[in-house]
Amino acid sequence: MPNIGAEGLQKLIKKMIEGAGSDPEEAEQVSANLVKANLMGHDSHGVHLVPRYIENVKNKVLQPNAHITVEKDSGAILQMHGNMGYGQIIGAEAMELGIARAAETGVAIVALRHTHHLGRIGAWGEMCAEAGMVSIHYVNVIGHLPLVSPFGGSEARYGTNPYCTAIPSPNGGKPIVLDMATSKIAMGKVKVAYNRGIEVPEGSLIGPNGAPTRDPGVMFREERGAQLSFGDHKGYGLALIAEILSGALVNGGTCLPENQTKNTIQNNMLTIIIDPDSVGSKSFFMQELGEITDYVKSARPAQGVDQVLVPGDPERISIVNRGRDGIPLDNTTWNELIGSAQTVGISEDAAKNLTEIVGSTPD
Ligand code: NAD
């Protein structure tokens, strides 16, 4: 599998997003967010999404150059409508306002509804952590058929509802970012496995008959299977809470049948942003955070493990490696990108000229 250099890949994606109607600034932000997801090791939330995004623009279920509307501004609470704009733009705008409000009031609750796909939710946690804030994010996903089966069920009822908590670093630069799908694996990872023709890990999927399977194809055939939650009933419980908080409380809509048919990817997100200064002593918080992190990481590694990590570390390691070695892109993903580029007037030769193969990864 060829590894593509991040810089060239971003140039291609930027051109594609611009070709689909975004202004250069929006295209820059969207492409940077997607390529960063690949660099962080989350191919599920990287450039393979671009053909789907462009299709959604064409079908008018994703609005280029849209911005948030603040619908309610009452003390610590900000309710916003994303106008089905690019989540990469809407998410950043919402966090910016939320961070400013938390700096004033100590805490901000940002209820964001009706935005197109917010991508990697960790990006929003990292933004808060960079501003010195703790943030908690609950997200649901509607606008298409449900993907994940409730615990004990044998058919899908909701999406891969991500959950994220980000904690700023005591010494700058290395926040703890727990950012995860509540399904055993993210849907994009099922697609990546399908594209690569490989099996998914055990316990990730059930077939249309409810029996466990490792075949990612069950999520792409007419008679569909379902994904399973991580952690059995516990992951299911967290997914349901995310569905209710972001879909019902935020008023974005839950994954009921009437919200499944729009052929888009709509995220709704409840974010709680806390200024550590407003809770107690920030210096105590930072000192204790540094010490507990070091203590946890000092645990003797298990057999076959190099070192104990904290959430956020794997992504930081991946950025270094993929920044140096390039981003592996399987043939299906590349061909889908090229096909999509052509629909916005970029030829295969032009795409190849923008990008550079800098290495390879064994399939
Ligand atoms: P994952 O399983 O790769 O990682 C989950 C978390 O575990 C991360 O915070 C990671 O840092 C941490 N982690 C991994 N290995 C670790 C280790 N050895 N020690 C300590 N911590 C470790 O992530 P995922 O569940 O596949 O999710 C991938 C991405 O998909 C996330 O960015 C998520 O926000 C995104 N997502 C988005 C949507 C959406 O609708 N926008 C839906 C689902 C998922």
Side-chain angles (χ1 to χ4, degrees), residues 15-354:
K15 213 167 161 44
M16 289 173 71
I17 301 290
E18 257 188 278
S22 291
D23 60 43
E25 205 181 312
E26 174 162 290
E28 174 70 27
Q29 243 174 287
V30 173
S31 58
N33 172 287
L34 293 172
V35 171
K36 190 165 181 195
N38 287 107
L39 282 170
M40 287 186 141
H42 293 295
D43 295 333
S44 57
H45 287 71
V47 300
H48 91 102
L49 290 162
V50 173
R52 178 110 183 256
Y53 284 8
I54 290 179
E55 206 179 295
N56 286 356
V57 171
K58 289 190 172 143
N59 293 333
K60 301 196 184 315
V61 288
L62 160 56
Q63 309 304 332
N65 309 314
H67 298 279
I68 48 168
T69 306
V70 177
E71 297 180 300
K72 185 176 184 179
D73 181 343
S74 133
I77 298 176
L78 289 165
Q79 189 185 31
M80 302 175 198
H81 196 290
N83 296 307
M84 286 309 283
Y86 275 102
Q88 287 77 4
I89 303 298
I90 303 294
E93 290 177 346
M95 291 307 101
E96 216 169 281
L97 291 178
I99 290 165
R101 182 55 52 89
E104 272 171 36
T105 58
V107 65
I109 294 174
V110 179
L112 174 64
R113 61 196 191 121
H114 292 261
T115 172
H116 192 260
H117 194 229
L118 284 161
R120 208 176 53 82
I121 304 307
W124 316 122
E126 285 151 16
M127 209 175 143
C128 295
E130 271 160 31
M133 304 284 171
V134 170
S135 67
I136 303 160
H137 311 254
Y138 292 93
V139 182
N140 83 331
V141 203
I142 60 174
H144 56 70
L145 290 173
L147 301 169
V148 184
S149 165
F151 183 70
S154 63
E155 55 181 336
R157 281 291 180 268
Y158 51 83
T160 54
N161 297 357
Y163 168 81
C164 172
T165 288
I167 315 269
S169 153
N171 40 23
K174 288 189 176 172
I176 292 177
V177 184
L178 176 64
D179 169 32
M180 58 189 215
T182 50
S183 49
K184 171 97 178 171
I185 59 173
M187 183 57 196
K189 287 183 177 150
V190 181
K191 176 76 173 24
V192 169
Y194 182 62
N195 285 354
R196 290 186 184 163
I198 59 174
E199 291 188 313
V200 295
E202 205 122 17
S204 310
L205 295 176
I206 50 175
N209 54 2
T213 178
R214 295 186 62 190
D215 171 15
V218 296
M219 297 306 291
F220 302 98
R221 293 194 276 269
E222 188 134 343
E223 227 195 324
R224 279 156 44 103
Q227 288 194 257
L228 295 173
S229 299
F230 86 94
D232 301 329
H233 55 287
K234 301 180 191 183
Y236 156 56
L238 185 58
L240 182 62
I241 296 295
E243 186 68 29
I244 294 166
L245 291 182
S246 52
L249 184 66
V250 165
N251 287 197
T254 57
C255 200
L256 288 167
E258 59 267 31
N259 290 328
Q260 296 170 5
T261 52
K262 294 175 190 150
N263 219 5
T264 186
I265 321 171
Q266 178 180 327
N267 278 143
N268 305 297
M269 175 163 75
L270 178 76
T271 300
I272 302 161
I273 305 175
I274 304 167
D275 182 350
D277 246 347
S278 70
V279 179
S281 150
K282 188 170 183 178
S283 61
F284 178 89
F285 168 63
M286 285 301 179
Q287 172 143 357
E288 204 74 1
L289 165 63
E291 286 177 14
I292 187 63
T293 308
D294 290 345
Y295 181 58
V296 167
K297 289 183 85 159
S298 73
R300 195 170 48 248
Q303 221 178 1
V305 175
D306 289 340
Q307 51 168 329
V308 171
L309 304 173
V310 294
D313 280 343
E315 287 75 12
R316 285 186 278 271
I317 294 168
S318 177
I319 281 200
V320 172
N321 294 340
R322 288 187 165 192
R324 182 192 58 223
D325 304 333
I327 294 165
L329 271 198
D330 61 84
N331 277 339
T332 310
T333 303
W334 176 254
N335 290 337
E336 283 176 3
L337 275 181
I338 295 302
S340 174
Q342 286 166 342
T343 69
V344 291
I346 303 165
S347 68
E348 182 164 2
D349 282 348
K352 281 187 175 154
N353 285 340
L354 286 168

Side-chain angles (χ1 to χ4, degrees), residues 1-9 321-328 355-361:
M1 189 167 21
N3 291 353
I4 313 288
E7 208 180 309
L9 187 57
N321 294 340
R322 288 187 165 192
R324 182 192 58 223
D325 304 333
I327 294 165
T355 52
E356 191 191 357
I357 297 178
V358 295
S360 67
T361 301

